[in-house]
Amino acid sequence: MIQSVAFIGLGAMGYRMASHLPRHFDTVYVWNRSFEKAKQHATEYGTQAVELSQAVQADIIFSCLPTSADVAQLVENLELKPGTIWVDCTSGVPDLARQLVTQLKNQGVDYLDAPVSGQTIGADNATLTVMVGGDFTAFERAYPAMQAFGKLIKHVGESGAGFAVKAVNNMLLAVNLWSVAEGFTTLKAHGVNLGEALDCINASSGKSGVTETIFPQRVLNRSFPVTFALPLLAKDAGIALDLVHAAKLPAPLIALTQSLIQAANQTAEENSDFSAAVKMYESWSKITLE
Ligand code: NDP
């Protein structure tokens, strides 16, 4: 029986994910590095903003930080209670998940890598996909807590498997984003109406999440709302490429796309959304996608 839950890291995703917890659990602790955000969350949603040392006394601890390294650094000096399950919703590194499993086992704590997809809108609507790696019994125990913000919740394998699925998913997003930018630039160069072209492609075999939502809602209307930062996509592309290398596989498309996204990240304005990666291609083609 889960009595208490905690959420650590109230960023673009965590703030929204944690907002659903009070409807399911009586005791919901929140903690954030900039503590004002935790206090604001408590006021808005009835959670309890507490010190980190208190938050980690919960039965289930969620975290959603930028990188696995941030989580590892946080875990370093914490005293946890045996029987706790740490559910890490960061999009992280599989090797570090396995390290954290070993480290936390010493304190009698289970660690699950449980990254999410569905963007901030999925976090708002509690319709996220949660891909979980790690001990299956811990997964089953943590399942009711993950249901607070997840719609499809899957155990995908041993520790690190959740992070691996997430990295490959985001690499597919990046490949799609780049290829749609090239395709639509070509259409524009040939005088085609991009809105009409989008309708046709979304009813055809070339459609993808990028053509269905990212292009119409972020690129073609030039809004590029910053909900998933470009450095985070660049990080995920790097994790995917590392997985390819670790498996000693040839993967030219993944290698090329990782390079493109890294270059786009290095040349982008500060605080850019991931969709702004297409602006690098626009600067090459001198054609604006609108
Ligand atoms: P944000 O940058 O919006 O939030 C990051 C959060 O982590 C903030 O609360 C920040 O605190 C905290 N933080 C950063 N560094 C540290 C640290 N060293 N120690 C403690 N806390 C820290 O990121 P997102 O919410 O967008 O992303 C979080 C994770 O979720 C990432 O791994 C990302 O790849 C993944 N993700 C993001 C999605 C999105 O659409 N945004 C979708 C799916 C997954 P502070 O407020 O003090 O800065």
Side-chain angles (χ1 to χ4, degrees):
M1 213 22 208
I2 302 166
Q3 309 280 1
S4 53
V5 294
F7 208 107
I8 293 171
L10 304 172
M13 292 301 283
Y15 199 89
R16 294 167 163 91
M17 289 161 75
S19 74
H20 304 290
L21 295 170
R23 280 199 298 281
H24 303 269
F25 303 99
D26 290 337
T27 304
V28 180
Y29 298 131
V30 289
W31 181 84
N32 194 64
R33 183 178 60 176
S34 321
F35 198 63
E36 275 310 308
K37 256 195 228 172
K39 287 201 223 158
Q40 192 187 326
H41 198 276
T43 308
E44 215 172 317
Y45 299 111
T47 49
Q48 296 180 47
V50 296
E51 292 298 321
L52 184 57
S53 54
Q54 186 181 346
V56 297
Q57 297 314 306
D59 298 333
I60 304 277
I61 302 166
F62 289 108
S63 52
C64 191
L65 303 186
T67 67
S68 280
D70 295 321
V71 178
Q73 194 187 28
L74 204 72
V75 165
E76 198 65 40
N77 298 313
L78 290 175
E79 270 193 39
L80 304 173
K81 115 187 145 181
T84 299
I85 305 175
W86 190 300
V87 182
D88 187 10
C89 299
T90 305
S91 299
V93 177
D95 278 347
L96 275 173
R98 291 184 277 271
Q99 273 180 36
L100 282 167
V101 167
T102 311
Q103 197 178 327
L104 290 179
K105 259 278 175 274
N106 292 336
Q107 300 195 46
V109 171
D110 282 303
Y111 171 92
L112 298 170
D113 48 303
V116 295
S117 80
Q119 307 203 10
T120 49
I121 184 156
D124 276 331
N125 297 334
T127 54
L128 293 173
T129 299
V130 193
M131 39 211 105
V132 189
D135 180 79
F136 190 70
T137 309
F139 166 77
E140 286 188 311
R141 280 178 49 221
Y143 193 91
M146 293 188 278
Q147 276 183 310
F149 51 73
K151 188 171 171 202
L152 178 71
I153 305 163
K154 284 263 181 195
H155 184 260
V156 292
E158 290 180 1
S159 180
F163 284 165
V165 175
K166 175 67 189 177
V168 169
N169 176 75
N170 279 19
M171 175 49 82
L172 298 179
L173 166 68
V175 169
N176 266 295
L177 182 67
W178 195 268
S179 64
V180 175
E182 290 186 8
F184 273 65
T185 302
T186 306
L187 290 175
K188 190 160 178 189
H190 285 272
V192 174
N193 177 305
L194 296 189
E196 305 298 345
L198 199 63
D199 288 347
C200 291
I201 286 171
N202 281 336
S204 304
S205 50
K207 74 177 170 189
S208 67
V210 171
T211 59
E212 286 180 326
T213 61
I214 308 303
F215 253 60
Q217 293 169 16
R218 289 170 191 253
V219 177
L220 296 182
N221 65 7
R222 311 307 291 172
S223 65
F224 303 102
V226 188
T227 65
F228 175 41
L230 183 51
L232 293 176
L233 179 62
K235 168 216 37 162
D236 295 337
I239 297 171
L241 184 60
D242 286 346
L243 286 170
V244 168
H245 287 155
K248 297 188 170 47
L249 289 169
L253 199 52
I254 289 181
L256 176 62
T257 308
Q258 186 274 337
S259 250
L260 290 168
I261 296 296
Q262 189 183 359
N265 183 34
Q266 278 168 357
T267 54
E269 287 163 21
E270 214 162 297
N271 198 27
S272 284
D273 187 57
F274 77 99
S275 55
V278 303
K279 290 185 186 172
M280 187 168 81
Y281 188 66
E282 290 179 330
S283 74
W284 298 351
S285 65
K286 304 212 175 350
I287 292 177
T288 304
L289 290 163
E290 55 188 344

